[in-house]
Amino acid sequence: MPDPLGPLFDALESINGELTSFAARLARLEDSGAVRGAAKQGASGEDGSNDSTRVPGAPIAWHKVKEDEREELWGGFVAWVIRMADTYELTTEQLPHACWWEHGSVVAELTALWTGWESAYGNEEDAAAGPYLWHDAWSRGIERIGRMWLGECTNGYHQQKSRTVWGTDPAYRKKVIEAGPPGVSGGGPARPEAA
């Protein structure tokens, strides 16, 4: 009579083999990251005190970039945008040649695409689906830029959007904070009670 738990043990053995393989791969990735990190740390100074070394693919918030790092980082970003615009044959409707850098939302979208690209193409250990996923993000990002954030700039010159700037009116902020969230005592319209 066959052992009724045999298939279960076979499945567990297979899972154990996969986990062992994943653990070995993770260890290799951690080792390669540690080696790269040590090389960067050694390049920054004897004690590794220079914390300005940016890991490719790390997120960037331009308003937080230190002034002494901004010029080099911005130059690399601009070079990447220009290369991608030429490589992917972007039109002015997709990314206005005359003013893309004057739109904070466009710069934020392109910055996210840049750091994603660095991550997808900078990891030789685990390229897998990264480039494919990056291309998917690229097409969605470029569509968003052209559809949502450019206003009238697709006609060849920069035109500011007609809009109210929310962050410059302290009275507005105070009014919204005092109103509180909906359905809370003193905050917004009351929600009907559940039956």
Side-chain angles (χ1 to χ4, degrees):
M1 178 166 151
D3 182 6
L5 297 178
L8 177 63
F9 287 122
D10 291 343
L12 288 172
E13 187 175 334
S14 174
I15 291 170
N16 186 41
E18 288 181 35
L19 288 174
T20 302
S21 173
F22 285 134
R25 184 175 180 199
L26 179 61
R28 283 194 311 273
L29 288 171
E30 287 174 342
D31 288 346
S32 68
V35 170
R36 280 194 298 269
K40 287 179 183 177
Q41 188 177 34
S44 65
E46 290 299 315
D47 63 355
S49 61
N50 183 355
D51 62 351
S52 67
T53 304
R54 182 181 160 270
V55 176
I60 296 170
W62 289 106
H63 66 282
K64 292 182 178 180
V65 174
K66 295 176 185 171
E67 197 169 326
D68 59 333
E69 298 171 1
R70 189 174 299 125
E71 184 177 345
E72 182 179 348
L73 194 57
W74 181 256
F77 169 65
V78 169
W80 179 86
V81 170
I82 291 169
R83 187 173 69 247
M84 293 296 111
D86 288 342
T87 300
Y88 292 93
E89 301 175 0
L90 297 183
T91 65
T92 300
E93 288 79 20
Q94 293 170 307
L95 186 67
H97 183 267
C99 65
W100 63 266
W101 63 92
E102 295 186 54
H103 298 273
S105 55
V106 173
V107 169
E109 181 83 49
L110 289 170
T111 301
L113 290 169
W114 178 41
T115 58
W117 182 87
E118 288 181 322
S119 179
Y121 287 94
N123 185 352
E124 297 167 4
E125 293 287 323
D126 186 25
Y132 174 80
L133 294 172
W134 179 84
H135 277 88
D136 185 53
W138 170 260
S139 67
R140 287 182 284 123
I142 293 300
E143 179 184 340
R144 269 192 303 272
I145 288 170
R147 182 179 35 136
M148 295 171 54
W149 293 326
L150 293 178
E152 298 298 317
C153 293
T154 59
N155 59 11
Y157 62 93
H158 181 64
Q159 174 111 9
Q160 290 288 359
K161 280 186 166 185
S162 174
R163 62 179 295 268
T164 300
V165 179
W166 294 31
T168 57
D169 184 0
Y172 172 77
R173 179 187 305 262
K174 183 176 186 255
K175 175 182 169 182
V176 175
I177 290 172
E178 287 175 355
V184 177
S185 176
R191 294 185 182 168
E193 291 293 320

